[in-house]
Amino acid sequence: MVAGDTTDAIVIGGGHNGLCCAAYLARSGLTVRVLERHSVVGGAALTEEFHPGFRNSVFSYLVSLLDRSVMDDLELEKHGLTLIHRPGGSLSLLPGDHLYLPRDTQAAQAAIARFSKADAEVFPAFEDMLEDMGELVRGIAREIPPNFGGGWADLWRLVRQANAFRRLSPQRQIELSELMTMSIGDVLDRWFESDVVKGLYGFESIIGNYADAYTPGTAYVLLHHVFGDIDGRTGAWSYARGGMGAISEAMASYCQSLGVEILRDAAVARVEVEAGSAKGVALEDGRRFSAKVIASNTHPQVLFGQLIDPSDTPKHFQQRIAGYQSESATFRMNVALSELPRFETVDHDVQGLMAMQNTIDICPSLDYMTHAYNEAGSRGWTSKPVISMCIPTLVDDSLAPPGQHVMSLFCQHFRRHLPDEQNWDEVKEQVADEIIDVVAQYAPNFRDAIVGRQINSPLDIERKLNMLGGDIFHGKLSLNQIFSLRPVGGYADHRMPVKGVYLCGSGAHPGGGVSGLPGKNAASVILKDFKRG
């Protein structure tokens, strides 16, 4: 390694968590170099022009989990990030009908009462429960989990986090225990009687999660999607003006204002390890850089498998990393539209257009979810997918020509590995057509309104983002891969078994989603170790 190529820290991967980690290290005085294998930073938080004149978020597409402390500490609004709040909740499309849940509780009850008066009555209590749970999970997400067999620091963290649980009422403690262990289907069956309401909430449990509605542990994934806090509103969602790439660009701008060096087209070939300690990295183009700290924003099995030989780690770690589960069964598509979709049951008046500014879901029941899961298990993908759609151009006119629109479609379930030697490169256009056919059942003009589309199959997600299994969360959010077991037991505090190597991406607690918390928390651990020398 040559003089001048040494920094205090190297961050592998310029996704939002990598940039967040770099920012916190730099604001504490460390010299930092970020190495990004693509020509642009952002990872999954990326905006692209996918058809002439049409731009949209390519992978992640909504803001909720982005922690307020990260926004404030990194001065993201000062560096160009503008959030556009959505007026309500979800618009669920149904055969011959729809259910729109606005933010106002009484209005939401009136909407639900058309399907079940009993469900309308219990709805406020259910929302209050989610509010309390979201606040608790948000606090835990900001903490570093205790390691099994750790020292006094781990014990103290365990006590502190247990106190948060103890402060809940006995009823809330029971409900939290159930939400952490039960299936979303079993939880919703206790609360509601209407298929429509169950489908609306059940959908949240399989976003990026290949599971059946009655798979134990799926209720937690609902909590993972509601712990966000936008201007004090738990579970609220917003658009980033200009697409999700605006978040990454604002983070990169803040990093550069602190002197962080961001190298693009700088793919790391390996982390160089000597006597159990990381010394630096070697790039695919032959360049080499040294650093005292290596923070990796990669999938755990990319870090230990591609960049570091697993044989450099303990046997128990090798075994668990080899068995790390990673598949979200997600198919992601953007479409450029000459006109708005005309959903047959939604009027294009002021109220209807306001409803369409929110998430538009096709998930009419838990049975619908189960069918999607079972069909994907045998066929490789489902002909009746669960679909979440957003039309950001209803609130952000910077993404498309005047009078035209972009729509994102986030679809489940689509297996990464297909049966009968099929390949996603051969079938993804056919699958995209099938998805469009499903949406057209609710909006007959949809197919003819499409002037361009961008398709990302599970294989595309794996290749473009190095997310193994096409898993958007860097690993399943199953009970055996969350909190102190993420990525594996004994290494939940971001410190990896190779000295000087830390995990700062979504494979660490609290997992996937654009929160910035894995990067921020990893930086806090790195800084403690750095000060200790």
Side-chain angles (χ1 to χ4, degrees):
M1 301 187 186
V2 298
D5 283 344
T6 298
T7 53
D8 292 326
I10 287 173
V11 177
I12 302 173
H16 88 279
N17 274 315
L19 294 170
C20 187
C21 182
Y24 277 98
L25 295 178
R27 73 198 297 265
S28 294
L30 272 62
T31 56
V32 184
R33 176 179 285 124
V34 176
L35 302 174
E36 168 55 46
R37 68 190 188 113
H38 293 299
S39 59
V40 293
V41 297
L46 177 70
T47 305
E48 280 184 355
E49 182 178 70
F50 65 96
H51 187 73
F54 294 83
R55 302 165 58 244
N56 202 15
S57 305
V58 181
F59 300 104
S60 58
Y61 57 100
L62 285 171
V63 184
S64 176
L65 306 184
L66 185 60
D67 199 74
R68 186 73 238 182
S69 66
V70 171
M71 292 187 62
D72 293 341
D73 291 344
L74 274 55
E75 302 176 353
L76 298 187
E77 291 167 332
K78 175 182 174 182
H79 285 267
L81 177 62
T82 300
L83 297 184
I84 304 172
H85 301 316
R86 303 191 318 181
S90 297
L91 170 63
S92 181
L93 301 178
L94 309 167
D97 207 340
H98 73 269
L99 170 61
Y100 171 56
L101 281 189
R103 283 282 166 203
D104 179 77
T105 300
Q106 290 186 340
Q109 285 182 281
I112 293 172
R114 292 198 302 113
F115 302 94
S116 168
K117 291 183 179 179
D119 288 354
E121 290 178 2
V122 302
F123 172 75
F126 183 74
E127 284 287 291
D128 286 345
M129 183 269 292
L130 288 184
E131 177 88 19
D132 290 346
M133 299 306 169
E135 182 177 350
L136 176 71
V137 173
R138 182 165 57 251
I140 292 173
R142 290 169 172 165
E143 296 276 349
I144 297 159
N147 267 329
F148 291 104
W152 285 107
D154 294 275
L155 182 61
W156 174 244
R157 285 200 297 272
L158 180 61
V159 170
R160 186 171 63 245
Q161 292 165 20
N163 279 337
F165 177 81
R166 186 175 57 82
R167 286 193 292 269
L168 294 174
S169 69
Q171 181 61 28
R172 285 289 189 259
Q173 291 179 14
I174 293 170
E175 290 166 341
L176 177 62
S177 299
E178 292 172 342
L179 285 166
M180 294 299 294
T181 56
M182 291 175 64
S183 74
I184 190 63
D186 288 328
V187 169
L188 293 175
D189 285 343
R190 285 188 177 182
W191 280 91
F192 302 112
E193 64 180 16
S194 166
D195 285 341
V196 173
V197 178
K198 293 178 190 177
L200 185 146
Y201 281 104
F203 165 79
E204 297 286 352
S205 70
I206 63 165
I207 291 287
N209 182 32
Y210 178 57
D212 175 38
Y214 289 93
T215 300
T218 45
Y220 168 74
V221 183
L222 168 64
L223 288 186
H224 189 82
H225 285 101
V226 300
F227 80 72
D229 177 17
I230 298 295
D231 290 344
R233 297 180 300 162
T234 295
W237 295 82
S238 297
Y239 294 105
R241 182 169 181 80
M244 295 295 283
I247 296 174
S248 305
E249 292 165 6
M251 287 185 172
S253 175
Y254 178 79
C255 283
Q256 289 169 325
S257 74
L258 297 178
V260 174
E261 182 183 20
I262 300 176
L263 298 183
R264 297 162 177 84
D265 297 311
V268 175
R270 67 181 181 278
V271 175
E272 300 194 319
V273 179
E274 297 176 10
S277 298
K279 301 300 181 182
V281 300
L283 305 192
E284 291 180 359
D285 62 14
R287 286 179 290 174
R288 298 170 70 201
F289 301 105
S290 63
K292 302 171 185 176
V293 166
I294 307 295
S296 178
N297 186 30
T298 64
H299 188 287
Q301 289 175 320
V302 170
L303 177 58
F304 294 100
Q306 297 181 20
L307 304 184
I308 297 176
D309 191 327
S311 65
D312 287 326
T313 67
K315 289 288 186 183
H316 67 88
F317 182 86
Q318 295 175 37
Q319 182 186 44
R320 286 172 173 79
I321 281 292
Y324 189 71
Q325 297 172 305
S326 187
E327 181 187 19
S328 58
T330 297
F331 192 101
R332 181 73 172 83
M333 183 161 56
N334 288 317
V335 292
L337 301 171
S338 61
E339 62 177 355
L340 282 174
R342 292 194 168 272
F343 300 109
E344 289 186 313
T345 64
V346 182
D347 294 331
H348 271 220
D349 56 11
V350 172
Q351 185 174 0
L353 291 174
M354 182 174 293
M356 289 170 60
Q357 292 176 19
N358 303 284
T359 303
I360 306 167
D361 297 333
I362 298 176
C363 185
S365 68
L366 297 180
D367 285 343
Y368 187 93
M369 293 166 55
T370 294
H371 175 272
Y373 175 77
N374 290 335
E375 187 179 20
S378 59
R379 183 192 181 202
W381 70 87
T382 177
S383 59
K384 295 181 179 179
V386 176
I387 305 175
S388 177
M389 298 169 282
C390 289
I391 310 174
T393 38
L394 284 170
V395 294
D396 182 359
D397 60 7
S398 72
L399 298 173
Q404 302 185 67
H405 294 275
V406 295
M407 176 191 276
S408 65
L409 296 93
F410 189 100
C411 313
Q412 303 281 137
H413 286 300
F414 299 83
R415 303 299 304 275
R416 162 62 185 90
H417 297 287
L418 300 175
D420 303 323
E421 298 184 351
Q422 297 179 94
N423 186 287
W424 272 114
D425 290 336
E426 298 169 353
V427 302
K428 68 179 182 181
E429 296 290 343
Q430 169 197 337
V431 172
D433 289 339
E434 292 182 11
I435 293 170
I436 289 169
D437 288 341
V438 172
V439 178
Q441 294 174 16
Y442 298 87
N445 74 320
F446 181 62
R447 185 182 297 102
D448 292 338
I450 296 174
V451 297
R453 67 189 190 185
Q454 179 187 49
I455 300 170
N456 280 298
S457 71
L459 175 59
D460 291 322
I461 293 171
E462 179 176 281
R463 283 190 301 214
K464 294 179 181 180
L465 299 177
N466 225 1
M467 293 180 174
L468 301 190
D471 196 309
I472 62 170
F473 292 152
H474 283 204
K476 288 177 67 68
L477 293 174
S478 50
L479 295 178
N480 62 318
Q481 293 186 177
I482 60 173
F483 196 52
S484 291
L485 293 172
R486 191 167 187 89
V488 300
Y491 299 93
D493 63 356
H494 302 276
R495 299 177 178 96
M496 295 294 100
V498 174
K499 187 177 180 181
V501 175
Y502 301 79
L503 189 65
C504 67
S506 294
H509 174 77
V514 183
S515 70
L517 290 175
K520 176 183 179 180
N521 291 346
S524 70
V525 173
I526 292 168
L527 290 168
K528 288 179 182 177
D529 291 352
F530 200 88
K531 290 175 182 177
R532 294 190 188 112

Coordinates of all heavy atoms in Angstrom, one line a residue, residues 327-388:
E327 N -34.2 -14.3 1.5 CA -35.1 -14.3 0.3 C -36.3 -13.5 0.7 O -37.0 -13.8 1.7 CB -35.5 -15.7 -0.1 CG -36.4 -15.6 -1.3 CD -37.0 -17.0 -1.7 OE1 -37.0 -17.9 -0.8 OE2 -37.4 -17.1 -2.8
S328 N -36.6 -12.4 -0.1 CA -37.9 -11.7 0.2 C -38.9 -11.9 -0.8 O -40.0 -11.3 -0.7 CB -37.5 -10.2 0.4 OG -36.9 -9.7 -0.8
A329 N -38.6 -12.6 -1.9 CA -39.6 -12.9 -2.9 C -40.3 -11.7 -3.5 O -41.5 -11.6 -3.7 CB -40.7 -13.9 -2.4
T330 N -39.5 -10.7 -3.8 CA -40.0 -9.4 -4.2 C -39.8 -9.2 -5.7 O -38.7 -9.4 -6.2 CB -39.3 -8.3 -3.4 OG1 -39.7 -8.4 -2.0 CG2 -39.8 -6.9 -3.9
F331 N -40.8 -8.7 -6.4 CA -40.7 -8.3 -7.8 C -41.0 -6.8 -7.9 O -42.1 -6.3 -7.4 CB -41.6 -9.1 -8.7 CG -41.4 -8.9 -10.2 CD1 -40.8 -9.9 -10.9 CD2 -41.9 -7.8 -10.9 CE1 -40.6 -9.9 -12.2 CE2 -41.7 -7.8 -12.2 CZ -41.1 -8.8 -12.9
R332 N -40.1 -6.0 -8.4 CA -40.2 -4.5 -8.4 C -40.3 -3.9 -9.8 O -39.5 -4.3 -10.6 CB -39.0 -3.9 -7.6 CG -39.0 -2.4 -7.5 CD -40.0 -1.9 -6.4 NE -39.8 -0.5 -6.2 CZ -40.3 0.4 -7.0 NH1 -41.0 0.1 -8.1 NH2 -40.0 1.7 -6.8
M333 N -41.3 -3.1 -10.0 CA -41.5 -2.5 -11.3 C -41.9 -1.1 -11.2 O -42.6 -0.6 -10.3 CB -42.6 -3.3 -12.1 CG -42.8 -2.9 -13.5 SD -43.7 -4.2 -14.5 CE -45.1 -4.5 -13.5
N334 N -41.4 -0.2 -12.2 CA -41.9 1.1 -12.4 C -42.5 1.2 -13.7 O -42.0 0.6 -14.7 CB -40.7 2.1 -12.3 CG -40.2 2.3 -10.9 OD1 -41.0 2.4 -9.9 ND2 -38.9 2.3 -10.7
V335 N -43.6 2.0 -13.9 CA -44.2 2.2 -15.2 C -44.3 3.7 -15.4 O -44.6 4.5 -14.5 CB -45.5 1.5 -15.3 CG1 -45.4 0.0 -15.3 CG2 -46.5 2.0 -14.2
A336 N -44.1 4.1 -16.6 CA -44.4 5.5 -17.1 C -45.8 5.5 -17.7 O -46.1 4.7 -18.5 CB -43.3 5.9 -18.1
L337 N -46.6 6.5 -17.3 CA -48.0 6.5 -17.7 C -48.4 7.8 -18.4 O -48.0 8.9 -18.0 CB -48.9 6.4 -16.5 CG -48.7 5.1 -15.6 CD1 -49.5 5.3 -14.3 CD2 -49.2 3.9 -16.4
S338 N -49.1 7.6 -19.5 CA -49.6 8.8 -20.2 C -50.8 9.4 -19.5 O -51.1 10.6 -19.8 CB -50.1 8.4 -21.6 OG -51.1 7.4 -21.6
E339 N -51.5 8.7 -18.7 CA -52.6 9.2 -17.9 C -52.7 8.4 -16.6 O -52.1 7.3 -16.4 CB -53.9 9.1 -18.6 CG -54.3 7.7 -19.0 CD -55.6 7.7 -19.7 OE1 -56.3 8.7 -19.9 OE2 -56.0 6.6 -20.2
L340 N -53.5 8.9 -15.6 CA -53.7 8.2 -14.4 C -54.5 6.9 -14.6 O -55.4 6.9 -15.5 CB -54.4 9.1 -13.4 CG -53.7 10.2 -12.7 CD1 -54.6 11.0 -11.9 CD2 -52.6 9.6 -11.8
P341 N -54.2 5.9 -13.8 CA -55.1 4.7 -13.9 C -56.5 5.1 -13.4 O -56.6 5.9 -12.4 CB -54.4 3.7 -12.9 CG -53.0 4.3 -12.7 CD -53.1 5.7 -12.9
R342 N -57.5 4.6 -14.0 CA -58.8 4.9 -13.6 C -59.4 3.6 -12.9 O -60.0 2.7 -13.6 CB -59.7 5.3 -14.8 CG -59.3 6.7 -15.4 CD -60.3 7.2 -16.3 NE -60.1 8.6 -16.6 CZ -60.5 9.7 -15.9 NH1 -61.3 9.4 -14.8 NH2 -60.2 10.9 -16.2
F343 N -59.2 3.6 -11.6 CA -59.7 2.5 -10.8 C -61.3 2.6 -10.8 O -61.8 3.6 -10.4 CB -59.2 2.5 -9.4 CG -57.7 2.4 -9.4 CD1 -56.9 3.4 -9.1 CD2 -57.0 1.2 -9.8 CE1 -55.5 3.3 -9.0 CE2 -55.7 1.0 -9.7 CZ -54.9 2.1 -9.4
E344 N -61.9 1.5 -11.2 CA -63.4 1.6 -11.5 C -64.2 1.9 -10.2 O -65.2 2.5 -10.3 CB -63.8 0.2 -12.0 CG -63.4 -0.1 -13.4 CD -64.0 -1.4 -14.0 OE1 -64.0 -2.4 -13.2 OE2 -64.5 -1.3 -15.1
T345 N -63.7 1.6 -9.0 CA -64.5 1.9 -7.8 C -64.0 3.2 -7.1 O -64.6 3.5 -6.1 CB -64.3 0.7 -6.8 OG1 -63.0 0.6 -6.4 CG2 -64.8 -0.6 -7.5
V346 N -63.1 3.9 -7.7 CA -62.6 5.1 -7.1 C -62.8 6.3 -8.0 O -62.4 6.4 -9.1 CB -61.0 5.0 -6.8 CG1 -60.6 6.3 -6.1 CG2 -60.7 3.8 -5.9
D347 N -63.6 7.3 -7.5 CA -64.0 8.4 -8.4 C -62.7 9.3 -8.5 O -61.9 9.4 -7.6 CB -65.1 9.2 -7.7 CG -66.4 8.5 -7.7 OD1 -66.6 7.7 -8.6 OD2 -67.2 8.7 -6.7
H348 N -62.6 10.0 -9.6 CA -61.5 10.9 -9.9 C -61.9 12.3 -9.5 O -61.7 13.3 -10.2 CB -61.1 10.9 -11.3 CG -60.0 9.8 -11.6 ND1 -59.0 10.0 -12.4 CD2 -59.9 8.6 -11.1 CE1 -58.2 9.0 -12.5 NE2 -58.7 8.1 -11.6
D349 N -62.6 12.4 -8.3 CA -62.8 13.7 -7.7 C -61.8 14.1 -6.7 O -60.8 13.4 -6.6 CB -64.2 13.7 -7.1 CG -64.4 12.6 -6.0 OD1 -63.4 12.0 -5.7 OD2 -65.5 12.4 -5.6
V350 N -61.9 15.2 -6.0 CA -60.9 15.6 -5.1 C -60.6 14.5 -4.0 O -59.5 14.2 -3.7 CB -61.3 16.9 -4.4 CG1 -60.3 17.3 -3.3 CG2 -61.4 18.0 -5.4
Q351 N -61.7 13.9 -3.5 CA -61.5 12.9 -2.5 C -60.8 11.6 -3.0 O -59.9 11.1 -2.4 CB -62.9 12.5 -1.9 CG -62.8 11.5 -0.7 CD -64.1 11.3 0.0 OE1 -65.1 11.8 -0.5 NE2 -64.1 10.5 1.0
G352 N -61.2 11.2 -4.2 CA -60.6 10.1 -4.8 C -59.1 10.3 -5.2 O -58.3 9.4 -4.9
L353 N -58.8 11.4 -5.7 CA -57.4 11.7 -6.0 C -56.6 11.8 -4.8 O -55.4 11.5 -4.8 CB -57.3 13.0 -6.8 CG -57.9 12.9 -8.3 CD1 -57.9 14.3 -8.9 CD2 -57.1 11.9 -9.1
M354 N -57.2 12.3 -3.7 CA -56.4 12.4 -2.4 C -56.2 11.0 -1.9 O -55.1 10.7 -1.4 CB -57.2 13.2 -1.4 CG -56.5 13.3 0.0 SD -57.4 14.4 1.1 CE -57.2 16.0 0.3
A355 N -57.1 10.1 -2.1 CA -56.9 8.7 -1.6 C -55.8 8.0 -2.5 O -55.0 7.3 -1.9 CB -58.2 7.9 -1.8
M356 N -55.7 8.4 -3.7 CA -54.7 7.8 -4.6 C -53.3 8.3 -4.4 O -52.3 7.8 -4.9 CB -55.1 8.0 -6.1 CG -56.3 7.2 -6.5 SD -56.9 7.6 -8.1 CE -55.5 7.3 -9.2
Q357 N -53.2 9.4 -3.6 CA -51.9 9.9 -3.2 C -51.2 8.9 -2.2 O -50.0 9.1 -2.0 CB -52.0 11.3 -2.6 CG -52.4 12.3 -3.6 CD -52.6 13.7 -2.9 OE1 -52.1 13.9 -1.8 NE2 -53.4 14.6 -3.6
N358 N -51.9 8.0 -1.7 CA -51.4 7.1 -0.7 C -51.0 5.7 -1.3 O -51.1 5.6 -2.5 CB -52.4 6.9 0.5 CG -52.8 8.3 1.1 OD1 -52.0 8.8 1.8 ND2 -53.9 8.8 0.7
T359 N -50.7 4.8 -0.5 CA -50.4 3.4 -1.0 C -51.7 2.8 -1.5 O -52.7 2.9 -0.8 CB -49.8 2.6 0.1 OG1 -48.6 3.2 0.6 CG2 -49.4 1.2 -0.5
I360 N -51.6 2.2 -2.7 CA -52.8 1.6 -3.3 C -52.5 0.1 -3.3 O -51.6 -0.4 -4.0 CB -53.1 2.1 -4.7 CG1 -53.2 3.6 -4.7 CG2 -54.3 1.5 -5.3 CD1 -53.1 4.3 -6.1
D361 N -53.2 -0.7 -2.6 CA -52.9 -2.1 -2.4 C -53.9 -3.0 -3.0 O -55.1 -2.7 -3.0 CB -52.9 -2.4 -0.9 CG -51.8 -1.7 -0.1 OD1 -50.8 -1.3 -0.8 OD2 -51.9 -1.5 1.1
I362 N -53.4 -4.1 -3.5 CA -54.3 -5.3 -3.9 C -53.9 -6.4 -3.0 O -52.9 -7.1 -3.2 CB -54.1 -5.6 -5.4 CG1 -54.4 -4.5 -6.3 CG2 -54.9 -6.9 -5.7 CD1 -54.1 -4.7 -7.8
C363 N -54.8 -6.6 -2.0 CA -54.6 -7.7 -1.0 C -56.0 -7.8 -0.3 O -56.1 -7.4 0.9 CB -53.5 -7.4 0.0 SG -53.1 -8.8 1.1
P364 N -57.0 -8.3 -0.9 CA -58.3 -8.3 -0.4 C -58.6 -9.1 0.8 O -59.6 -9.0 1.5 CB -59.2 -8.7 -1.6 CG -58.3 -9.5 -2.4 CD -56.9 -8.9 -2.3
S365 N -57.7 -10.1 1.1 CA -58.0 -11.0 2.2 C -56.7 -11.8 2.6 O -55.7 -11.8 1.8 CB -59.1 -12.0 1.9 OG -58.6 -12.9 0.9
L366 N -56.8 -12.4 3.8 CA -55.7 -13.3 4.2 C -55.6 -14.5 3.3 O -54.5 -15.1 3.0 CB -55.8 -13.7 5.6 CG -55.8 -12.6 6.7 CD1 -55.9 -13.2 8.1 CD2 -54.5 -11.8 6.6
D367 N -56.7 -15.0 2.8 CA -56.8 -16.2 1.9 C -56.0 -15.8 0.6 O -55.4 -16.7 0.0 CB -58.2 -16.6 1.6 CG -58.8 -17.3 2.7 OD1 -58.1 -17.8 3.6 OD2 -60.1 -17.5 2.8
Y368 N -56.2 -14.6 0.1 CA -55.5 -14.1 -1.1 C -54.0 -14.2 -0.9 O -53.2 -14.7 -1.7 CB -55.9 -12.7 -1.4 CG -55.4 -12.1 -2.7 CD1 -56.2 -12.2 -3.8 CD2 -54.2 -11.5 -2.8 CE1 -55.7 -11.7 -5.0 CE2 -53.7 -11.0 -4.0 CZ -54.5 -11.1 -5.1 OH -54.0 -10.5 -6.3
M369 N -53.5 -13.8 0.3 CA -52.1 -13.9 0.6 C -51.6 -15.4 0.7 O -50.5 -15.7 0.2 CB -51.8 -13.2 2.0 CG -52.0 -11.8 2.0 SD -52.1 -11.1 3.7 CE -50.6 -11.7 4.4
T370 N -52.4 -16.2 1.3 CA -52.1 -17.6 1.3 C -52.0 -18.3 0.0 O -51.1 -19.0 -0.3 CB -53.1 -18.4 2.2 OG1 -53.0 -17.9 3.6 CG2 -52.8 -19.9 2.2
H371 N -52.9 -17.9 -0.9 CA -52.8 -18.4 -2.3 C -51.6 -18.0 -3.0 O -50.9 -18.8 -3.7 CB -54.1 -17.9 -3.1 CG -54.0 -18.3 -4.5 ND1 -53.4 -17.5 -5.5 CD2 -54.5 -19.4 -5.2 CE1 -53.5 -18.1 -6.7 NE2 -54.2 -19.3 -6.5
A372 N -51.2 -16.7 -2.8 CA -50.0 -16.2 -3.4 C -48.7 -17.0 -2.9 O -47.9 -17.3 -3.7 CB -49.8 -14.7 -3.2
Y373 N -48.7 -17.2 -1.6 CA -47.6 -18.0 -1.0 C -47.5 -19.4 -1.6 O -46.5 -19.9 -2.0 CB -47.8 -18.0 0.5 CG -46.7 -18.8 1.2 CD1 -45.4 -18.3 1.4 CD2 -47.0 -20.0 1.7 CE1 -44.5 -19.1 2.0 CE2 -46.1 -20.8 2.4 CZ -44.8 -20.3 2.5 OH -43.9 -21.0 3.2
N374 N -48.7 -20.1 -1.6 CA -48.7 -21.5 -2.0 C -48.4 -21.6 -3.5 O -47.6 -22.5 -3.9 CB -50.0 -22.1 -1.7 CG -50.3 -22.3 -0.2 OD1 -49.3 -22.4 0.5 ND2 -51.5 -22.3 0.2
E375 N -48.9 -20.7 -4.3 CA -48.7 -20.8 -5.8 C -47.2 -20.5 -6.1 O -46.6 -21.2 -6.9 CB -49.6 -19.9 -6.5 CG -49.5 -20.1 -8.0 CD -50.4 -19.2 -8.8 OE1 -50.8 -18.1 -8.3 OE2 -50.7 -19.5 -10.0
A376 N -46.6 -19.6 -5.4 CA -45.2 -19.3 -5.6 C -44.3 -20.4 -5.2 O -43.3 -20.7 -5.8 CB -44.8 -18.0 -4.9
G377 N -44.8 -21.1 -4.1 CA -44.0 -22.3 -3.7 C -43.9 -23.4 -4.7 O -42.9 -24.1 -4.8
S378 N -44.9 -23.5 -5.5 CA -44.9 -24.6 -6.5 C -44.5 -24.1 -7.9 O -43.8 -24.8 -8.6 CB -46.3 -25.3 -6.6 OG -47.3 -24.3 -6.9
R379 N -44.9 -23.0 -8.3 CA -44.7 -22.5 -9.6 C -43.5 -21.6 -9.7 O -42.9 -21.4 -10.8 CB -46.0 -21.7 -10.1 CG -45.9 -21.2 -11.5 CD -47.1 -20.2 -11.7 NE -47.1 -19.7 -13.1 CZ -47.7 -18.5 -13.4 NH1 -48.3 -17.8 -12.5 NH2 -47.7 -18.1 -14.7
G380 N -43.1 -20.9 -8.6 CA -42.0 -20.0 -8.6 C -42.5 -18.5 -8.5 O -41.8 -17.7 -8.0
W381 N -43.7 -18.3 -9.0 CA -44.3 -17.0 -8.8 C -45.9 -17.2 -8.8 O -46.4 -18.2 -9.2 CB -43.9 -16.0 -9.9 CG -44.4 -16.2 -11.2 CD1 -45.6 -15.8 -11.8 CD2 -43.8 -16.9 -12.3 NE1 -45.7 -16.2 -13.1 CE2 -44.6 -16.9 -13.4 CE3 -42.5 -17.6 -12.4 CZ2 -44.3 -17.5 -14.6 CZ3 -42.2 -18.2 -13.6 CH2 -43.0 -18.2 -14.7
T382 N -46.6 -16.2 -8.3 CA -48.0 -16.2 -8.3 C -48.7 -15.5 -9.4 O -48.2 -14.4 -9.8 CB -48.5 -15.7 -6.9 OG1 -49.9 -15.7 -6.9 CG2 -48.1 -14.3 -6.7
S383 N -49.8 -16.0 -9.8 CA -50.6 -15.3 -10.9 C -51.5 -14.3 -10.3 O -52.1 -13.4 -11.0 CB -51.4 -16.3 -11.7 OG -52.3 -17.0 -10.8
K384 N -51.6 -14.3 -8.9 CA -52.5 -13.3 -8.2 C -51.6 -12.7 -7.1 O -51.7 -13.0 -5.9 CB -53.7 -14.0 -7.6 CG -54.7 -14.5 -8.7 CD -55.9 -15.2 -8.0 CE -56.9 -15.7 -9.1 NZ -58.1 -16.3 -8.4
P385 N -50.7 -11.8 -7.5 CA -49.8 -11.3 -6.5 C -50.4 -10.2 -5.6 O -51.4 -9.6 -5.9 CB -48.7 -10.6 -7.4 CG -49.5 -10.2 -8.7 CD -50.5 -11.3 -8.9
V386 N -49.8 -10.1 -4.4 CA -50.1 -9.0 -3.5 C -49.3 -7.8 -4.1 O -48.1 -7.9 -4.3 CB -49.6 -9.4 -2.1 CG1 -49.8 -8.2 -1.2 CG2 -50.4 -10.6 -1.6
I387 N -50.0 -6.7 -4.3 CA -49.3 -5.6 -5.0 C -49.5 -4.3 -4.2 O -50.6 -4.0 -3.8 CB -49.9 -5.4 -6.4 CG1 -49.8 -6.7 -7.3 CG2 -49.2 -4.2 -7.1 CD1 -50.4 -6.6 -8.6
S388 N -48.4 -3.6 -4.0 CA -48.5 -2.2 -3.4 C -48.1 -1.2 -4.4 O -47.0 -1.3 -5.0 CB -47.6 -2.2 -2.2 OG -47.6 -0.9 -1.6

